Amino acid sequence: KINLNTLSDQHLLGVWEFGLQHSVFETNLYLLSLIFPEKDDATIWAMPVGERDAKLLRFREIRFGSTFQNKAQCPSCGESLEWESMTTDFILYPPDQTLAQSVWNLKHQEVNYEFRLPNNQDVFEALAYHNSELHEAYVIQQCVQIRNQKSGTFHLSEEVQKRILDKMEEVDPQSNISMHLSCPECQHTWEVAFDIMEYLWIEINEWAIQCMRDIYQLAKTFHWPESEILAMNPFRRNLYLKMINA
């Protein structure tokens, strides 16, 4: 379970500073390591994508609230769309559920394939492939347990890869969240993927910048050190800021 006592404002600013020098992907994994200090790095990297996203969604709900503000632009007419979503729209199974050790079977043309779900390590390594098809193929091949017995290498046809991918999404729908949109102007319909990692980083970045402005204002007015300001209850801190701006 998430214990926010392990992630103070000071810790979250540390996540922000880490994110300024690392990718969004690495930053979110670093965040997870702070949220769940009992999990070692190997466990974090071996965490399936859906489980990771469910945990990040739960953290986001506790830290920033359950409402998501969304924006998109119609690819057909360019109309701007804005709408709200709730955490319950995105979390499809309990954040403490894990499928890391699970293995599934798929039989195709008398061959039995075994596969696990893609994890953080698989996805991170696949980022080296800028072509989306190569990226997807690499991830799938990393997850298949059966190899070609003669050459010792994977031998997966496009048809097998598609069937395995479909099965992965069936057993772990949390790993591929998308929203169905309809343009009120031209009635065009399309789907957009929801990426909690990107969304959460934008929020952390915006929060951190505002937090630094607040620290500056309080330190300038009351001559308090940053550590004391960050240790202060947020409600109290906001009261002081209101007094300054009154």
Side-chain angles (χ1 to χ4, degrees):
K1 293 182 179 181
I2 295 175
N3 181 359
L4 284 185
N5 291 329
T6 65
L7 196 59
S8 63
D9 285 356
Q10 184 70 60
H11 283 110
L12 198 54
L13 280 177
V15 172
W16 174 63
E17 291 173 353
F18 182 93
L20 295 177
Q21 303 176 61
H22 296 81
S23 67
V24 170
F25 189 94
E26 293 170 294
T27 302
N28 275 268
L29 295 196
Y30 177 60
L31 172 62
L32 282 174
S33 72
L34 295 179
I35 299 172
F36 301 99
E38 74 280 4
K39 297 184 184 296
D40 58 21
D41 287 345
T43 302
I44 296 291
W45 282 93
M47 188 180 292
V49 172
E51 179 185 346
R52 175 202 72 200
D53 286 357
K55 285 176 166 53
L56 289 173
L57 280 162
R58 179 58 179 150
F59 164 77
R60 193 272 176 188
E61 180 180 47
I62 295 172
R63 182 75 203 206
F64 295 110
S66 59
T67 304
F68 291 79
Q69 302 294 334
N70 306 288
K71 295 181 180 181
Q73 190 172 45
C74 176
S76 178
C77 71
E79 178 74 10
S80 295
L81 282 73
E82 295 185 11
W83 71 100
E84 288 186 354
S85 302
M86 303 298 292
T87 306
T88 50
D89 297 328
F90 300 127
I91 294 185
L92 303 182
Y93 57 68
D96 57 351
Q97 178 177 325
T98 180
L99 299 172
Q101 304 301 321
S102 302
V103 176
W104 287 267
N105 296 289
L106 176 71
K107 188 173 183 178
H108 180 74
Q109 295 182 352
E110 303 305 317
V111 178
N112 290 310
Y113 298 92
E114 289 185 349
F115 65 90
R116 58 172 174 77
L117 293 175
N119 59 35
N120 291 316
Q121 186 67 48
D122 301 323
V123 176
F124 183 71
E125 292 176 358
L127 291 176
Y129 296 91
H130 300 292
N131 181 291
S132 60
E133 292 183 2
L134 292 176
H135 180 286
E136 188 174 273
Y138 178 86
V139 170
I140 293 174
Q141 289 179 348
Q142 290 298 105
C143 297
V144 176
Q145 302 298 313
I146 291 182
R147 297 170 183 262
N148 184 298
Q149 296 299 312
K150 294 182 180 180
S151 64
T153 58
F154 286 107
H155 182 67
L156 300 174
S157 66
E158 289 186 8
E159 183 179 358
V160 170
Q161 289 187 43
K162 184 180 185 307
R163 289 193 60 188
I164 290 176
L165 181 62
D166 290 344
K167 186 66 176 178
M168 287 176 173
E169 293 183 356
E170 177 186 329
V171 298
D172 187 18
Q174 186 72 70
S175 65
N176 187 22
I177 300 296
S178 60
M179 293 176 282
H180 301 272
L181 303 181
S182 176
C183 178
E185 188 68 24
C186 70
Q187 285 70 56
H188 176 73
T189 60
W190 75 103
E191 285 190 4
V192 293
F194 176 75
D195 186 345
I196 182 57
M197 287 183 135
E198 290 284 351
Y199 195 104
L200 191 52
W201 167 246
I202 291 172
E203 287 193 316
I204 290 174
N205 185 53
E206 292 176 349
W207 169 87
I209 292 172
Q210 184 59 53
C211 185
M212 296 298 290
R213 288 174 179 153
D214 293 344
I215 291 171
Y216 170 76
Q217 196 168 10
L218 290 169
K220 182 180 179 181
T221 303
F222 299 109
H223 308 290
W224 294 331
E226 180 184 275
S227 57
E228 288 186 16
I229 296 172
L230 288 173
M232 193 179 298
N233 181 289
F235 178 75
R236 233 172 113 193
R237 191 190 306 164
N238 287 332
L239 283 178
Y240 283 120
L241 288 167
K242 288 180 180 179
M243 291 176 187
I244 296 172
N245 297 319

